[in-house]
């Protein structure tokens, strides 16, 4: 992790089922708002994503491989080596990819790529990702250079310990609250508490972000001390991140 030695987070079968249910419900809710006529209809083409995350990250493994088993999504893996924007664009054009999941640095590199206009990206319908707050300037630039993905832009805040679930910022809320990290995903409870405590702070007051979800991890592998420090007796996970809630949206302030 970013603050210490790596730990193994135990993810159960039940956790993956909860993750799948939440993700499908979230997607259906978005479709109901943006394109209600498509609800219950098969996609016009097979969903396809170009992998841009390591498989030892929850974003590369569970958020793609696990979901692919349910949705029939086609995952394209680039050649071994460092991630390159040209390779990502070439694979998108070749395989008619329908979605990307990126971190902000990767998206900036793609948008600044001198030959971006030479690639046929017309199949691309959705762009999402996480890892940090997406700056408003990044969202504005994406909307200018890839206007077709603007209605379906989304990002998420979560962790391996929550199986990638947490909060989402999607559709028009992405542009109305560009400095937020969203609202709770289906099946996720979010509280902002006094650091190291159980008292929930008022809206607008900065505290530690805590989450509880049936998709949460069991504990850390062979590390009872770390598990006890992260999970309380009611299965609330202390993220170690500071933030605050305003008008129902969560805002990230930094690490503990």
């Amino acid at each position: 992790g970013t603050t210490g030695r790596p730990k193994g987070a135990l993810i159960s079968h039940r956790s993956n089922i909860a993750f799948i249910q939440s993700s499908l419900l979230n997607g259906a809710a978005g479709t109901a708002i943006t394109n209600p006529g498509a609800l219950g209809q098969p996609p016009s083409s097979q969903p396809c994503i170009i992998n841009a995350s390591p498989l030892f990250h929850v974003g590369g493994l569970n958020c793609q491989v696990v979901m692919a088993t349910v949705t029939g999504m086609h995952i394209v893996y680039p050649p071994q080596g460092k991630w390159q924007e040209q390779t990502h664009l070439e694979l998108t054009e070749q395989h008619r990819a329908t979605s990307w999941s990126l971190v902000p640095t990767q998206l900036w590199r793609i948008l600044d790529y001198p030959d971006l206009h030479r690639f046929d990206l017309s199949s691309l319908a959705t762009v999402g990702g996480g890892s940090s707050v997406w700056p408003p300037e990044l969202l504005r630039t994406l909307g200018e250079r890839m206007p077709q993905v603007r209605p379906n832009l989304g990002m998420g805040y979560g962790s391996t310990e929550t199986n990638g679930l947490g909060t989402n910022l999607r559709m028009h809320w992405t542009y109305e609250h560009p400095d937020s990290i969203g609202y709770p995903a289906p099946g996720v409870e979010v509280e902002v508490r006094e650091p190291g405590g159980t008292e929930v702070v008022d809206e607008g007051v900065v505290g530690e972000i805590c989450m509880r979800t049936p998709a949460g991890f069991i504990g850390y592998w062979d590390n009872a001390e770390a598990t006890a420090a992260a999970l309380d007796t009611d299965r609330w996970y202390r993220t170690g991140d500071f933030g605050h809630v305003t008008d129902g949206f969560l805002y990230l302030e930094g690490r503990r």
Side-chain angles (χ1 to χ4, degrees):
T2 58
T3 58
R5 293 178 60 83
K7 299 183 290 293
L10 296 171
I11 302 295
S12 67
H13 180 77
R14 174 188 174 185
S15 171
N16 280 325
I17 295 299
F19 162 76
I20 290 169
Q21 291 175 328
S22 176
S23 300
L24 293 179
L25 181 56
N26 215 12
T31 301
I33 294 173
T34 60
N35 188 15
L39 279 176
Q41 301 297 317
S44 56
S45 61
Q46 183 184 23
C48 175
I49 189 169
I50 310 300
N51 178 68
S53 302
L55 289 180
F56 55 81
H57 285 178
V58 71
L61 183 60
N62 294 37
C63 296
Q64 291 188 30
V65 177
V66 170
M67 282 304 298
T69 64
V70 179
T71 63
M73 181 171 64
H74 176 199
I75 307 174
V76 177
Y77 292 96
Q80 291 185 3
K82 293 181 178 180
W83 182 87
Q84 298 290 338
E85 55 269 51
Q86 178 171 333
T87 302
H88 196 88
L89 291 166
E90 289 174 348
L91 292 175
T92 299
E93 181 179 70
Q94 177 185 348
H95 294 274
R96 305 297 296 160
T98 57
S99 64
W100 288 347
S101 180
L102 303 166
V103 302
T105 301
Q106 291 171 317
L107 186 53
W108 269 127
R109 285 177 55 179
I110 287 176
L111 296 177
D112 289 339
Y113 190 62
D115 292 329
L116 175 63
H117 64 284
R118 298 183 181 275
F119 294 91
D120 179 7
L121 306 179
S122 58
S123 62
L124 191 65
T126 64
V127 172
S131 87
S132 65
V133 177
W134 289 28
E137 180 66 14
L138 175 60
L139 301 177
R140 184 190 65 78
T141 304
L142 176 64
E144 289 177 352
R145 299 183 185 175
M146 296 183 183
Q148 80 274 19
V149 304
R150 181 182 173 93
N152 298 312
L153 177 65
M155 65 195 75
Y157 165 78
S159 67
T160 302
E161 289 86 348
T162 62
N163 210 346
L165 285 183
T167 59
N168 298 123
L169 195 64
R170 306 177 68 228
M171 299 169 294
H172 60 278
W173 289 299
T174 305
Y175 297 93
E176 294 174 4
H177 306 273
D179 51 345
S180 166
I181 53 174
Y183 49 90
V188 178
E189 299 173 85
V190 176
E191 290 184 351
V192 176
R193 299 178 175 180
E194 293 284 351
T198 58
E199 183 178 353
V200 179
V201 301
D202 296 330
E203 276 211 357
V205 177
V206 174
E208 184 175 9
I209 300 170
C210 298
M211 295 190 291
R212 181 168 65 176
T213 167
F217 75 136
I218 299 172
Y220 293 113
W221 173 257
D222 198 25
N223 196 335
E225 182 179 356
T227 300
L231 283 175
D232 69 14
T233 54
D234 292 323
R235 301 291 298 171
W236 282 93
Y237 167 58
R238 306 178 185 96
T239 65
D241 289 329
F242 279 129
H244 67 90
V245 174
T246 299
D247 295 331
F249 287 83
L250 184 64
Y251 293 79
L252 189 63
E253 295 287 342
R255 289 290 294 171
R256 182 171 59 195

